[in-house]
Amino acid sequence: MDTTTRVGLIGTGLLGQAVARRLAAVGCRVEAWNRTKGKALGLEAFGVKCVDSVENLLSGNNVIICLLSDADACDEVIFTETRLSLIAHHSIIIMMSTLTPEKVVEQQLQARRAKLDYVDMPVSGGTKGAEKGTLSLMAGGAKQSIDRLRPLLTHLGKVTRVGEVGAGQLTKLANQIIVAGTLCLLSEAFTLAQRGGADPIKVREALLGGFADSTLLQQHGERMVESDFCARGSAAWQLKDTKSIMALAEQLDLTLPLTDKVNVLFSQMVAAGDGDLDHCGIIRQIQRLNGLSI
């Protein structure tokens, strides 16, 4: 690893904290900043330096990882002419937030005007993947830029270049189609088992190793049958993604009937007050629709 690499991480939610801890654990020099300062302070025990201002973080690091919640936050915190001018020329911004393809193309143009490099790199695998270094990193950008980052990012997981800037976000939206849809199908499967008199816990065990097996069945399925809905990835953010998918599908003149229904289900879940629960809590909405106890 290049000892001149100085990593500044912006956004220390659940995933941001796990990424910062992982990079610090493998010897990277990491600074972190969060809009709510208290959420970042716990990282100091893991060797991450928490800076007082985003201006100091931007001016003091040559690799900027963004894990802010949405496009508005990114615009406010990083993508102003004043803030971008603080970053040393030829530094690189890694956009790990889940945004729209159009938004990251716009951000890349802003970065170029400030003589900065930019890579669109959303991730999948959650906090557990970040902690273990097994994330899937979906990279959109110039090949040389992505190759330049590999020595650093291989500590987090598998880096796959999927195309130019924008392609990373397209890949993440495809990922979210599969994740959100599978969570709904798992919810229906366990609800059917419960109504029919089978034990959902044993049904899940029986499905492991068969054609229905998946990481989602293994991890989220276990949380479903144990009613563990503490948020690792909230339903509200899952809904943000399914809405983005449906908006893009409309732009591309595509019909996505299953994802359309999934979007409705997550909309209902959030409207029912469950938006802060983990997205695997969608089983509560399926049960609610069927008059089962939650």
Side-chain angles (χ1 to χ4, degrees):
M1 183 175 61
D2 187 347
T3 57
T4 65
T5 299
R6 304 183 305 279
V7 179
L9 187 142
I10 299 175
T12 58
L14 292 174
L15 183 59
Q17 289 195 27
V19 168
R21 290 196 303 267
R22 174 69 182 177
L23 291 177
V26 297
C28 298
R29 175 195 178 279
V30 184
E31 293 186 345
W33 177 87
N34 194 69
R35 287 177 293 175
T36 304
K37 185 178 179 180
K39 290 184 177 180
L41 290 177
L43 290 169
E44 292 185 335
F46 297 90
V48 177
K49 180 181 178 181
C50 297
V51 297
D52 291 331
S53 71
V54 69
E55 289 86 357
N56 287 340
L57 184 140
L58 293 173
S59 62
N61 295 282
N62 54 15
V63 175
I64 308 296
I65 297 177
C66 178
L67 274 161
L68 291 167
S69 57
D70 55 29
D72 288 342
C74 294
D75 287 344
E76 176 187 342
V77 172
I78 303 173
F79 289 91
T80 69
E81 185 175 348
T82 300
R83 292 277 171 81
L84 289 173
S85 69
L86 297 173
I87 308 172
H89 289 175
H90 311 300
S91 296
I92 189 162
I93 297 172
I94 306 173
M95 182 51 61
M96 288 190 180
S97 302
T98 300
L99 307 177
T100 65
E102 293 84 357
K103 188 63 183 178
V104 295
V105 170
E106 175 189 318
Q107 290 177 349
Q108 181 194 33
L109 293 175
Q110 291 176 270
R112 281 179 174 173
R113 287 195 290 270
K115 298 183 180 179
L116 304 172
D117 206 348
Y118 180 98
V119 173
D120 155 33
M121 194 177 292
V123 305
S124 182
T127 56
K128 185 174 291 188
E131 290 165 356
K132 293 184 176 181
T134 58
L135 287 174
S136 172
L137 299 105
M138 312 160 205
K143 183 178 183 300
Q144 63 267 28
S145 300
I146 295 166
D147 288 344
R148 170 185 165 193
L149 291 168
R150 285 186 189 278
L152 172 70
L153 295 177
T154 50
H155 294 299
L156 294 176
K158 181 185 72 172
V159 182
T160 303
R161 181 179 183 268
V162 292
E164 298 299 327
V165 168
Q169 298 296 333
L170 276 171
T171 306
K172 179 60 183 285
L173 292 179
N175 178 86
Q176 297 302 77
I177 288 176
I178 296 168
V179 169
T182 302
L183 290 177
C184 290
L185 291 174
L186 289 173
S187 298
E188 292 189 359
F190 293 140
T191 300
L192 176 71
Q194 180 182 345
R195 176 62 66 84
D199 181 351
I201 293 176
K202 293 299 181 183
V203 170
R204 174 185 164 276
E205 289 180 11
L207 295 176
L208 295 173
F211 281 152
D213 198 1
S214 67
T215 301
L216 288 164
L217 176 65
Q218 294 164 24
Q219 296 183 14
H220 290 70
E222 183 176 29
R223 295 171 194 162
M224 285 179 175
V225 298
E226 293 182 353
S227 297
D228 174 10
F229 304 128
C230 179
R232 286 84 166 175
S234 75
W237 292 117
Q238 184 73 82
L239 177 60
K240 175 182 74 75
D241 294 340
T242 57
K243 284 182 174 179
S244 294
I245 292 162
M246 296 314 301
L248 181 59
E250 184 175 1
Q251 290 178 25
L252 298 175
D253 195 25
L254 289 175
T255 299
L256 303 178
L258 296 180
T259 305
D260 189 18
K261 183 60 177 177
V262 168
N263 185 54
V264 169
L265 289 169
F266 275 100
S267 297
Q268 292 171 342
M269 178 183 175
V270 172
D274 284 350
D276 290 335
L277 299 183
D278 192 84
H279 52 174
C280 73
I282 190 64
I283 192 171
R284 288 169 52 90
Q285 180 57 31
I286 300 299
Q287 292 174 334
R288 190 179 288 117
L289 291 172
N290 286 283
L292 295 173
S293 60
I294 299 175

